[in-house]
Amino acid sequence: MSEWSVIRVEERCAAVNMSLDEAMLQARADNLIPNTLRLFTWKPAAVSIGYFQSLDLEVDREALKESGCDIVRRYTGGGAVFHDEELTYSVVLSEKDVSSDIVKSYEEICKGVITALRLLGLKAEFKPINDILVGGKKVSGNAQTRKHGVVLQHGTILLGVDVKKMFRLLKVPDEKIRDKLIASVEERVSSVNKELGRVVSVAEMQDALIKGFEESFSKKFVHRSFLDIELTLAKKLFEEKYSSMEWTNAR
Amino acid sequence: MKHVINYKVPDGKLLRLLIDRDGDVIRDIRITGDFFVHPETGIQEIETLMKGKAVDDACEAVEKLLDEGKIRVIGFRAQDVRTALGAYIV
């Protein structure tokens, strides 16, 4: 399948978002879909934690419950992310279409995001292992997994950022230095809106991302909707995995 | 799990080890953090390998396993686990 596809932005809850990503990975592995870029947002706002993270070490369950935010464990490694004012992408590609070197492949896929940011007027750079910086500050974090010859990479593009809000939901290794930690994260993290000095809508960011991926992979991304098979797979993953306490509390 | 050890790997990720030790012997260990392991199930293999072994033997076994190249870890090396465990004195 030489044509690549894009599924335009949809707003979903955390467990559905992660179910759809894994469903796409499975569908791509079975060659039912072409390489696909998907764009999405999170409602309600949510914390996602990496595959290898301990929920209890990273997240304040009480604060989370009070906030009404969702929690989900990702299929991918990496750190805890607070998904609020952002646009998230996920992409499933045949492993043949990217470098076998994992960090290199992060860079190849992140080039789509970097190009998108350039189209918006920002000079962005890839920072190994899996970050994208503007003006030396992180505006995008990315994570990938590989299964059955397919790469799934997803990442967040911060449109706005509220570090204090995020830290109300996260635990810190040492409570005594919580304020210091927040201050240091505020220094290291920024957002597209902040760097551009204007508000970028989800729609504008989406258009830039589609163009950015098209340019960096030299492919046309044709719009499509989810296939029934993807939705069926996602429903099963939602019920059996991502909405289950067993998966969420796995580590 | 008896203890949590936090260790920021230089140029790597944050290792957060949940460990139950009997003197030098690792009774149980869970390696958590914001790193990546490909395939992800490799982490259970690493943890299982370490259980019941003295810290040095456990880390050596992990080094050997990772050298085989079937499990790829991004964000820490076997010797970082050793350093993290060594930093904690019973």
Side-chain angles (χ1 to χ4, degrees), chain A residues 52 130 145 147 250-251, chain B residues 13 30-32 40 47 72:
Chain A
F52 306 102
N130 55 331
T145 182
K147 298 269 151 50
R251 295 179 75 76
Chain B
K13 300 290 187 181
R30 190 151 276 202
I31 303 170
T32 83
E40 284 76 8
E47 288 166 350
R72 289 189 282 181

Side-chain angles (χ1 to χ4, degrees), chain A residues 9 39-41 86-89 155-157 159 202 205-206 209:
Chain A
V9 70
L39 300 159
F40 56 101
T41 57
E86 62 166 56
L87 178 61
T88 313
Y89 76 89
T156 171
I157 297 112
L159 296 175
V202 165
M205 190 68 237
Q206 164 170 265
L209 271 173

Side-chain angles (χ1 to χ4, degrees), chain A residues 113-163:
Chain A
V113 179
I114 289 168
T115 307
L117 293 170
R118 195 197 70 218
L119 291 170
L120 289 171
L122 291 173
K123 194 169 177 284
E125 57 175 340
F126 175 72
K127 186 182 176 236
I129 301 164
N130 55 331
D131 290 336
I132 295 169
L133 311 183
V134 172
K137 295 186 179 191
K138 179 170 167 173
V139 297
S140 166
N142 303 272
Q144 76 164 248
T145 182
R146 293 173 175 225
K147 298 269 151 50
H148 319 297
V150 178
V151 177
L152 161 67
Q153 181 167 314
H154 43 208
T156 171
I157 297 112
L158 291 172
L159 296 175
V161 62
D162 186 342
V163 177

Side-chain angles (χ1 to χ4, degrees), chain A residues 129, chain B residues 8-14 34 75-76:
Chain A
I129 301 164
Chain B
K8 169 69 177 72
V9 177
D11 290 321
K13 300 290 187 181
L14 178 66
D34 58 354
F76 71 86

Side-chain angles (χ1 to χ4, degrees), chain A:
Chain A
M1 289 188 217
S2 65
E3 206 163 70
W4 295 16
S5 67
V6 57
I7 296 172
R8 295 179 79 89
V9 70
E10 290 174 335
E11 189 177 75
R12 309 262 196 179
C13 75
V16 169
N17 274 332
M18 293 301 94
S19 302
L20 284 167
D21 276 3
E22 191 177 338
M24 276 171 43
L25 173 66
Q26 288 185 21
R28 183 68 192 86
D30 293 336
N31 229 16
L32 301 171
I33 57 166
N35 289 349
T36 299
L37 172 69
R38 171 191 169 223
L39 300 159
F40 56 101
T41 57
W42 308 63
K43 195 172 186 181
V47 174
S48 77
I49 57 169
Y51 182 101
F52 306 102
Q53 290 189 301
S54 154
L55 180 68
D56 278 320
L57 284 183
E58 306 295 338
V59 178
D60 183 336
R61 286 181 197 254
E62 280 302 306
L64 192 80
K65 218 172 162 183
E66 279 169 32
S67 72
C69 292
D70 270 355
I71 172 81
V72 72
R73 180 181 297 277
R74 296 191 306 270
Y75 202 21
T76 53
V81 181
F82 179 47
H83 303 277
D84 192 10
E85 303 166 70
E86 62 166 56
L87 178 61
T88 313
Y89 76 89
S90 61
V91 64
V92 290
L93 303 165
S94 165
E95 267 192 298
K96 285 177 275 176
D97 293 313
V98 291
S99 171
S100 60
D101 179 300
I102 291 168
V103 178
K104 257 190 208 147
S105 72
Y106 270 113
E107 184 164 15
E108 287 165 10
I109 296 171
C110 285
K111 207 176 150 212
V113 179
I114 289 168
T115 307
L117 293 170
R118 195 197 70 218
L119 291 170
L120 289 171
L122 291 173
K123 194 169 177 284
E125 57 175 340
F126 175 72
K127 186 182 176 236
I129 301 164
N130 55 331
D131 290 336
I132 295 169
L133 311 183
V134 172
K137 295 186 179 191
K138 179 170 167 173
V139 297
S140 166
N142 303 272
Q144 76 164 248
T145 182
R146 293 173 175 225
K147 298 269 151 50
H148 319 297
V150 178
V151 177
L152 161 67
Q153 181 167 314
H154 43 208
T156 171
I157 297 112
L158 291 172
L159 296 175
V161 62
D162 186 342
V163 177
K164 284 190 185 76
K165 195 170 166 192
M166 173 177 86
F167 268 94
R168 280 203 286 272
L169 308 177
L170 299 183
K171 280 192 185 161
V172 294
D174 183 355
E175 277 302 329
K176 284 173 283 186
I177 59 156
R178 179 178 278 269
D179 291 343
K180 246 191 200 166
L181 197 68
I182 291 174
S184 100
V185 172
E186 278 175 335
E187 266 172 42
R188 285 184 284 115
V189 176
S190 189
S191 71
V192 170
N193 290 348
K194 217 169 164 183
E195 294 303 315
L196 271 178
R198 68 178 178 89
V199 176
V200 172
S201 69
V202 165
E204 186 183 359
M205 190 68 237
Q206 164 170 265
D207 289 343
L209 271 173
I210 295 170
K211 281 192 198 119
F213 272 87
E214 284 186 331
E215 197 180 311
S216 64
F217 281 98
S218 303
K219 293 278 175 189
K220 180 95 189 126
F221 284 69
V222 179
H223 175 253
R224 70 172 179 95
S225 305
F226 283 114
L227 303 184
D228 285 344
I229 182 77
E230 289 173 288
L231 297 173
T232 306
L233 278 169
K235 187 166 182 280
K236 191 166 150 51
L237 286 162
F238 174 83
E239 282 163 5
E240 293 174 5
K241 187 172 177 178
Y242 292 100
S243 70
S244 77
M245 287 321 281
E246 198 190 341
W247 170 256
T248 309
N249 290 325
R251 295 179 75 76

